Amino acid sequence: MKGLYFQQSSTDEEITFVFQEKEDLPVTEDNFVKLQVKACALSQINTKLLAEMKMKKDLFPVGREIAGIVLDVGSKVSFFQPDDEVVGILPLDSEDPGLCEVVRVHEHYLVHKPEKVTWTEAAGSIRDGVRAYTALHYLSHLSPGKSVLIMDGASAFGTIAIQLAHHRGAKVISTACSLEDKQCLERFRPPIVQLPDFLSFTARVIDVSNGKVHVAESCLEETGGLGVDIVLDAGVRLYSKDDEPAVKLQLLPHKHDIITLLGVGGHWVTTEENLQLDPPDSHCLFLKGATLAFLNDEVWNLSNVQQGKYLCILKDVMEKLSTGVFRPQLDEPIPLYEAKVSMEAVQKNQGRKKQVVQF
């Protein structure tokens, strides 16, 4: 039985993906579930976080968003039994790669997969669903009638966030980084739904691909000068144009633009882990009574205290997927033997849709 792993070079700058023979799994431990993997989604590996957590190994397992069938359960497992269909995210310290036919996982990282949801949909939406749910409901407290700016809305995460925000009754503004992205976002115009008269159920796509459109001005115009209530960024520029890489100049707004377009009492949810705010920036946020939150992909994984809340999020994400509240943007599923090449592309941030390996 083979599984996909990665190993880092001595410089910690480059990683190599390799298939490795894996020993047969031992008897299932107390709270663990043995799972036959039916689908596993591919996501970028945060090697910096692994290093900060002192997780040093010769080979790191690859693939964490999985869906599959329960083969066996430990003596203390209370939520699952053999033949259950489940979905979940393997923990950072998992010994088993999701890109393998059979894995072991603690029952607290799994929830039941709804019948209506396919294997690829479950695995391909669970991580971005949790991220979007965390950003909108826990970090920014989204409520009906709020205005939300979702940067890079055509990304796998962005499309789910847009649909969840629409479902909650928000007015969504999003940025598109190319003509293809713009066309993709325009297909997400919300359906006709019954909402109170005071709610404006509209969407606006801002095309920033040519570098001529000013995001802050567009958002202020769209909100009548009030600014948006919630911002979900996809990274920001921290410095002047002369000091930033060319890629950041084209795709990302400056941090000052985000602060400018934020409304009174607004929430800024950022994915920029190295965000630096100068005293004038902080003072401007203070005057607006605004809040700043960091969207850490692993926040639930790193906090055992919040395990019950995390399971509730997993269940709610699957329920909303099952009832059609959102649908993920998935690429065509691939077989396991193509996972190595595909992971190399994912690690380089190539491709827009979520890639899923189907077993």
Side-chain angles (χ1 to χ4, degrees), residues 26 132 238:
L238 304 177

Side-chain angles (χ1 to χ4, degrees), residues 2-22 42-64 91-100 127 298 339-348:
K2 287 186 176 181
L4 188 65
Y5 296 79
F6 79 89
Q7 53 190 6
Q8 282 186 281
S9 64
S10 56
T11 60
D12 288 339
E13 293 180 357
E14 199 171 311
I15 66 175
T16 306
F17 296 96
V18 294
F19 278 108
Q20 189 83 0
E21 281 293 338
K22 190 168 172 292
L42 308 183
S43 294
Q44 274 189 312
I45 298 166
N46 191 338
T47 55
K48 182 179 178 182
L49 178 61
L50 293 175
E52 289 175 350
M53 295 182 64
K54 310 296 183 185
M55 296 179 68
K56 294 290 183 180
K57 300 180 184 177
D58 293 332
L59 292 171
F60 288 88
V62 176
R64 294 173 56 202
L92 276 172
D93 58 357
S94 172
E95 296 292 331
D96 301 326
L99 289 168
C100 188
R127 184 186 185 114
E298 306 297 343
K340 179 178 178 292
V341 174
S342 294
M343 265 308 302
E344 290 170 350
V346 169
Q347 193 65 19
K348 294 175 183 176

Side-chain angles (χ1 to χ4, degrees), residues 3 8 28 67 85 113 120 141 215 235 240 248 265 289 315 330 343:
Q8 282 186 281
T28 310
E85 297 183 352
K113 180 186 77 68
T120 53
H141 310 292
V215 176
S240 63
K248 277 201 169 187
K315 290 175 183 176
L330 303 180
M343 265 308 302

Side-chain angles (χ1 to χ4, degrees), residues 255-256 259 276-286:
K255 60 181 178 181
H256 295 150
I259 295 172
Q276 299 177 31
L277 294 180
D278 300 320
D281 301 328
S282 298
H283 185 64
C284 188
L285 290 173
F286 167 77

Side-chain angles (χ1 to χ4, degrees), residues 132-142 300 309-310 312-313:
Y133 200 104
T134 302
L136 293 172
H137 295 281
Y138 280 92
L139 299 181
S140 57
H141 310 292
L142 178 66
W300 303 110
K309 191 179 290 186
Y310 174 58
C312 288
I313 294 175

Side-chain angles (χ1 to χ4, degrees), residues 242-262:
D242 297 334
D243 299 325
E244 288 280 13
V247 176
K248 277 201 169 187
L249 290 180
Q250 295 174 2
L251 304 180
L252 302 179
H254 196 280
K255 60 181 178 181
H256 295 150
D257 295 333
I258 301 293
I259 295 172
T260 299
L261 62 84
L262 199 61

Side-chain angles (χ1 to χ4, degrees), residues 122-162:
S125 61
I126 189 67
R127 184 186 185 114
D128 288 317
V130 169
R131 290 186 71 211
Y133 200 104
T134 302
L136 293 172
H137 295 281
Y138 280 92
L139 299 181
S140 57
H141 310 292
L142 178 66
S143 59
K146 295 288 186 180
S147 56
V148 184
L149 170 64
I150 299 174
M151 307 296 296
D152 194 15
S155 64
F157 164 70
T159 52
I160 292 179
I162 287 173

